[in-house]
Amino acid sequence: MSGPRTLFDKLWDSHQVVPETAEAPAVLYIDLHLVHEVTSPQAFAELGARGLKLRRPDRTLATLDHSTPTLPASGDGRRPYATPEAEAQVARLQANCRQFGVELHDWDSDARGIVHVIGPELGATQPGMTIVCGDSHTSTHGAFGALAFGIGTTEVGHVMATQCLLQRKPKSFAIHVDGELPAGVGAKDLVLHIIATIGVGGGTGHVLEFRGPAIEKLSMEARMTVCNMAIEAGARAGLIAPDQTTFDWLEGRPRAPQGAAWARAVSAWKSLRSDEGARYDREVRIDASKVRPTVTYGTHPGMAAAIDAPVPAATNAQEKRALDYMHLKAGQTMAGQPVDVVFIGSCTNSRLPDLRAAAAVLRGRRVADGVRMLVVPGSESVRRAAEAEGLHEVFTAAGAEWRVPGCSMCIAMNGDLAQPGQLVVSTSNRNFEGRQGKGARTVLASPETAAASAVAGRVSDAASLAAEEQAA
Amino acid sequence: MRPLTQLRSRTAVLPYENIDTDRIIPARFLTTTEREGLGRHCFTDWRYLADGSENPAFELNRPAAKGCGILVAGRNFGCGSSREHAPWALLDYGIRAVLSNEIADIFRSNALKNGLLAIVVSDAEHRWLLEHPGSELVIDVAGGFIELPDGGRFGFELDAFARHCLLQGVDQLGYLLQQEEAIRAHEQRHEAAA
């Protein structure tokens, strides 16, 4: 316990119920358990079969997001589920939450939405917490200085029954981001650049701490975008130390401490940063000023490059396979590739600033002929705020579809998907083969780049789109 | 979970790096509320052609790969989503062990909790395994070694607790439930301070 500690060390130490030994992992206390319909039914069933109660319903929060349709209910109230199985899965979560006393953000909740969007919005996500969910993008919540990571369904059952997990302590990995992001370059470009730098498995076994002047300048939503994709480098979690930006964002949210408790909390949260001289197991430095609009060209998020950079030659069989799948040849640029579908949404990029950025590009422009564009807000709260600003009108006037909140085409299990061979420019987090539909080709991008690509009908960043229009 | 002390089987090789959990079991099959029956969808987009027939070019469809219980895979196997449906699907398909020189964290944790041996081997051992599909191996959980067809052995690392649970068929929830007193003490300490 002596000596300077990293932020991760502090979070780990304060949640050890039983420290780890050579024989056994640590028993780690979990402050907040987020639950959704896909990875929970088997865990609830296990509790039921063993006659166990859910230990801390007050530390458990559930929502519907993955299997849910993003088209509205019809006049008779029926929702257009992709399959009866999807509807049954949602009904199962509703029944389980009733039976076990869990707060569920159901269809009628004005806070329903993607689990990693609503946790922070409600102020349930707070600095210094441990947060888990049966979903790998739980790393998102690390943006608040919480230790947050995805777990499997067996572990979901562990947390339900005991509020604890058995964990070995991962290693620490500092990602220092120096300098300043150029104009027109954002968090999504930065995190794709980081993953391309350290590799798709570069974070395996580690907790990443993003730090440095370029990180401190990011908004909370941008920080969430960065931490969200820590898992795409294989990391156990991503972290950013909380600061005034964090506190200002959280203050007054429904589940955040109020009054005198708020002042006490902020004072405690201010100690949640890595001490001077703290040692990390690994470190890397990134120069933010070198980052440009960045997109993926392959079939994992580490295969990313600047939008106008030549696609690198394949160095092995799987890279060749990836380029073949993407219908690309080495030396081509992603800029200019014809686009079929554009998706703006997901726990990576579906928050209000993301939608504003996309709308700013679309305002007064049209989605190109033959391109289908879906805009799916991350939550009901984002949807209301966007509609209050008239963003939905910008999208629909441009020819895009404005949908009901959910995971939608990011995971493509609710019926929102692309057809075989179609090229999708997507603000989501994974470009795996078939992720957005069997045979669909995914290009990960920022909301600005996605919107510009929709207008151009080809992969394009916003600055290039404007320059081309001026030249025309 | 049944105790697992030793596994003897032949290897099938999927040499690709970064085989993600969407590849193992696509999201469209995740609307199930059961653990069982996912084997028929395992690797589905590789395994079947558009008309639903088996894709003869897929490594695991080759006659020599049938019945192999040990999968040797390229680096970073199981990356991506936390879906436990991935190890459920592999087990139901008939895979009992996955060997690679790197295995994604969440997949590995999920696999071991279900009795699917997810074992990281050295680069040199990995290369040999990739080059010798169909090798009959003995994976000895108690001894912590893998025995090759020629009798040669190499050791592998496995967390002591995970090994104990595999050998005894212990379920980790039972262990956690026994920690109740310590858990309650932790809550009292921290919730009083808040």
Side-chain angles (χ1 to χ4, degrees):
Chain A
M1 291 286 183
S2 58
R5 292 185 299 162
T6 63
L7 168 58
F8 169 51
D9 291 331
K10 295 179 185 183
L11 294 169
W12 181 267
D13 292 347
S14 62
H15 288 84
Q16 280 193 111
V17 172
V18 180
E20 68 180 319
T21 63
E23 290 74 39
V27 176
L28 195 72
Y29 195 77
I30 302 304
D31 294 317
L32 176 65
H33 187 196
L34 302 168
V35 173
H36 63 81
E37 70 275 23
V38 177
T39 54
S40 66
Q42 298 86 351
F44 278 117
E46 184 80 16
L47 280 194
R50 291 180 182 237
L52 294 168
K53 283 198 293 200
L54 193 143
R55 195 170 187 284
R56 293 295 298 264
D58 59 322
R59 291 189 177 276
T60 313
L61 185 62
T63 186
L64 309 174
D65 55 6
H66 283 66
S67 299
T68 50
T70 59
L71 285 168
S74 56
D76 61 1
R78 283 200 72 82
R79 300 209 170 254
Y81 284 96
T83 60
E85 227 185 9
E87 184 162 14
Q89 188 177 58
V90 165
R92 181 69 69 88
L93 181 62
Q94 292 164 331
N96 281 330
C97 288
R98 272 195 304 275
Q99 183 186 341
F100 290 91
V102 173
E103 177 178 327
L104 169 66
H105 288 280
D106 207 336
W107 284 115
D108 58 0
S109 163
D110 61 7
R112 191 192 65 81
I114 304 174
V115 65
H116 309 309
V117 176
I118 73 165
E121 273 176 1
L122 290 168
T125 299
Q126 292 167 22
M129 281 185 163
T130 45
I131 302 175
V132 297
C133 175
D135 190 289
S136 59
H137 292 109
T138 308
S139 60
T140 311
H141 308 263
F144 292 81
L147 178 61
F149 52 93
I151 56 177
T153 296
T154 298
E155 291 182 318
V156 168
H158 292 177
V159 179
M160 285 177 173
T162 68
Q163 206 57 34
C164 287
L165 281 176
L166 289 164
Q167 294 283 304
R168 290 281 178 196
K169 188 178 180 185
K171 295 184 169 132
S172 59
F173 189 165
I175 314 276
H176 302 276
V177 189
D178 302 315
E180 205 172 320
L181 287 170
V185 175
K188 185 62 163 289
D189 303 302
L190 172 63
V191 72
L192 286 171
H193 177 85
I194 290 171
I195 299 164
T197 304
I198 69 173
V200 69
T204 301
H206 291 75
V207 168
L208 310 185
E209 183 185 337
F210 301 98
R211 58 203 317 263
I215 297 295
E216 287 161 24
K217 277 202 169 167
L218 297 176
S219 70
M220 284 318 298
E221 289 86 354
R223 294 178 190 187
M224 285 189 254
T225 300
V226 171
C227 288
N228 172 274
M229 291 194 70
I231 179 65
E232 307 312 333
R236 203 72 187 91
L239 280 176
I240 294 174
D243 59 11
Q244 199 57 44
T245 303
T246 320
F247 310 144
D248 290 345
W249 198 93
L250 274 176
E251 188 169 10
R253 292 187 181 266
R255 284 187 169 220
Q258 314 286 334
W262 171 257
R264 278 201 307 277
V266 170
S267 151
W269 293 341
K270 284 183 174 166
S271 67
L272 293 171
R273 40 189 52 253
S274 293
D275 297 329
E276 196 75 38
R279 298 284 292 265
Y280 297 89
D281 295 295
R282 280 180 72 192
E283 300 188 49
V284 69
R285 299 206 91 89
I286 303 281
D287 181 353
S289 69
K290 298 263 167 55
V291 182
R292 291 190 292 135
T294 300
V295 296
T296 59
Y297 57 85
T299 54
H300 66 68
M303 298 177 84
I307 191 166
D308 54 357
V311 168
T315 59
N316 57 38
Q318 41 273 357
E319 286 177 9
K320 181 178 183 313
R321 183 191 160 81
L323 294 190
D324 288 348
Y325 181 86
M326 293 300 293
H327 307 177
L328 289 169
K329 291 199 166 45
Q332 291 182 311
T333 61
M334 288 311 295
Q337 297 295 327
V339 171
D340 300 297
V341 181
V342 171
F343 171 63
I344 294 192
S346 86
C347 56
T348 315
N349 281 122
S350 64
R351 298 176 182 85
L352 190 59
D354 300 317
L355 303 187
R356 282 183 184 147
V361 174
L362 286 174
R363 197 168 274 121
R365 293 181 168 122
R366 292 276 310 164
V367 173
D369 287 344
V371 174
R372 178 182 183 215
M373 180 172 184
L374 255 69
V375 185
V376 186
S379 69
E380 288 296 340
S381 162
V382 170
R383 175 161 80 140
R384 274 193 310 280
E387 291 181 354
E389 292 180 16
L391 301 185
H392 63 311
E393 284 160 357
V394 176
F395 294 127
T396 50
E401 299 174 45
W402 175 244
R403 293 291 188 94
V404 170
C407 301
S408 182
M409 261 188 79
C410 173
I411 189 163
M413 62 181 290
N414 74 331
D416 298 343
L417 48 82
Q419 298 307 308
Q422 285 192 321
L423 189 115
V424 188
V425 179
S426 178
T427 66
S428 56
N429 39 57
R430 289 190 173 132
N431 52 337
F432 298 150
E433 275 185 42
R435 169 87 175 180
Q436 296 192 293
K438 188 173 178 177
R441 300 176 293 143
T442 300
V443 176
L444 301 179
S446 70
E448 292 88 338
T449 297
S453 301
V455 172
R458 290 170 285 105
V459 176
S460 175
D461 63 281
S464 305
L465 175 71
E468 276 171 34
E469 284 173 343
Q470 219 151 35
Chain B
M1 203 167 79
R2 275 180 317 202
L4 177 58
T5 50
Q6 203 187 60
L7 175 70
R8 176 189 293 272
S9 187
R10 281 178 303 118
T11 59
V13 173
L14 273 181
Y16 310 105
E17 292 185 7
N18 307 311
I19 296 175
D20 56 76
T21 53
D22 278 84
R23 196 107 291 267
I24 300 168
I25 177 92
R28 62 183 184 275
F29 302 112
L30 304 189
T31 51
T32 180
T33 53
E34 311 291 328
R35 294 169 190 255
E36 291 78 24
L38 289 167
R40 65 181 189 278
H41 305 306
C42 192
F43 294 120
T44 187
D45 291 342
W46 267 343
R47 199 167 141 199
Y48 301 109
L49 297 171
D51 66 0
S53 63
E54 277 202 356
N55 173 9
F58 177 51
E59 284 82 349
L60 301 190
N61 284 343
R62 291 177 189 157
K66 296 286 178 187
C68 292
I70 301 174
L71 180 65
V72 177
R75 180 181 287 279
N76 199 26
F77 184 82
C79 63
S81 135
S82 63
R83 61 191 68 163
E84 199 159 315
H85 310 69
W88 294 338
L90 287 164
L91 282 164
D92 193 44
Y93 178 78
I95 303 294
R96 294 284 171 271
V98 177
L99 308 183
S100 178
N101 55 345
E102 184 177 306
I103 299 180
D105 291 333
I106 307 179
F107 174 82
R108 188 154 189 247
S109 158
N110 286 339
L112 290 171
K113 287 185 178 62
N114 286 276
L116 173 67
L117 291 174
I119 295 175
V120 176
V121 298
S122 73
D123 289 346
E125 291 149 6
H126 188 233
R127 208 171 312 120
W128 189 92
L129 290 166
L130 287 174
E131 288 165 0
H132 296 83
S135 300
E136 184 162 292
L137 305 182
V138 175
I139 302 179
D140 193 298
V141 179
F145 62 83
I146 295 175
E147 190 172 288
L148 302 175
D150 66 1
R153 289 177 174 185
F154 57 83
F156 61 85
E157 282 190 31
L158 187 63
D159 178 72
F161 187 75
R163 185 193 310 273
H164 166 79
C165 291
L166 287 166
L167 289 173
Q168 306 298 322
V170 170
D171 123 56
Q172 302 190 4
L173 178 53
Y175 177 88
L176 271 172
L177 286 166
Q178 288 168 15
Q179 312 296 319
E180 175 60 25
E181 209 172 310
I183 297 170
R184 207 178 313 119
H186 177 93
E187 285 175 332
Q188 278 165 359
R189 223 165 32 242
H190 289 259
E191 291 175 9

